[in-house]
Amino acid sequence: MLDRGPAGLPAALRMQRSVLEEKRGLLDRAIQAIRKSRGVVAAGRRPDTAILKNIIEVIEMQNNDWSEKYYSPEARAKIKERLPEWTPELQAKAEQDWLDLFRDVEAALGDDPASETAQALGARWQDLIRGFTGGDPEVSKGLNQMYSERPNWPADMKARMTPFSNPKVWEFMGRVLKPG
């Protein structure tokens, strides 16, 4: 965890506690599902597909629900409402747009953040974020919080985000997007 100073420490500790309690709940559900399956096997029966499916779903939830804690209930509802619009094709396009943007930002790292090129990159950055958030301030707030906690992301998400992990890009874009 990065140094947040004395004022930010209580909030950081609350967030960490919340993350750990959520993970404990998911682990408890996974353990319960496995116990149920073992009980069936111990009784000499084969576990049916519903039990095995439940174990897999509970374990998968550990990977899928990690980001929800960053969003308010209202923001989660807005994200869920927009989910049907987020097709696999749109996801692929967004990923390619981000890859292209990161490549272009890396090429501009020596530029002045106030330059026309850098500001155009900043506009693209904000457009891509708006594409996910729909311009909603609550969703944006959660997204900002989630990205500020990148070191706490699950390993599979960190691996997936490797192309977007150049700290020089993030620092440069922080200067580009900093209010004047």
Side-chain angles (χ1 to χ4, degrees):
M1 183 85 114
L2 299 175
D3 179 24
R4 297 172 184 273
L9 185 58
L13 290 173
R14 273 192 307 278
M15 174 66 75
Q16 286 300 311
R17 180 179 173 187
S18 172
V19 168
L20 291 172
E21 287 174 345
E22 181 179 333
K23 187 162 285 285
R24 180 177 57 198
L26 290 170
L27 288 171
D28 287 344
R29 289 199 306 258
I31 290 168
Q32 185 61 31
I34 290 169
R35 278 189 184 131
K36 186 175 180 181
S37 181
R38 283 185 63 205
V40 168
V41 172
R45 297 179 312 207
R46 291 186 60 162
D48 64 17
T49 56
I51 292 173
L52 297 175
K53 183 179 178 211
N54 184 39
I55 292 171
I56 292 167
E57 286 173 353
V58 169
I59 291 171
E60 281 292 313
M61 283 191 329
Q62 293 181 52
N63 295 327
N64 295 334
D65 291 349
W66 70 272
S67 66
E68 287 189 2
K69 66 182 165 282
Y70 296 106
Y71 297 97
S72 69
E74 296 82 15
R76 284 195 302 269
K78 290 174 184 175
I79 292 169
K80 190 174 185 176
E81 183 179 300
R82 293 187 62 216
L83 208 51
E85 301 169 19
W86 201 257
T87 64
E89 295 79 19
L90 185 57
Q91 177 66 32
K93 182 181 179 340
E95 287 176 13
Q96 188 60 55
D97 289 347
W98 277 108
L99 285 168
D100 293 345
L101 179 56
F102 263 70
R103 180 200 61 227
D104 294 347
V105 171
E106 285 175 334
L109 286 176
D111 291 3
D112 178 349
S115 74
E116 189 176 311
T117 300
Q119 291 302 304
L121 292 169
R124 282 174 58 196
W125 186 282
Q126 290 176 321
D127 285 346
L128 288 174
I129 290 173
R130 254 189 310 280
F132 174 75
T133 66
D136 185 274
E138 272 296 302
V139 176
S140 295
K141 181 180 173 185
L143 186 65
N144 288 335
Q145 178 65 34
M146 184 176 74
Y147 271 86
S148 75
E149 297 283 332
R150 282 190 313 268
N152 299 322
W153 287 5
D156 64 326
M157 186 61 173
K158 285 181 188 176
R160 199 171 131 214
M161 297 302 286
T162 297
F164 312 106
S165 61
N166 183 341
K168 291 179 182 177
V169 168
W170 288 94
E171 184 220 309
F172 180 74
M173 291 309 296
R175 291 192 323 253
V176 169
L177 298 171
K178 188 175 185 176

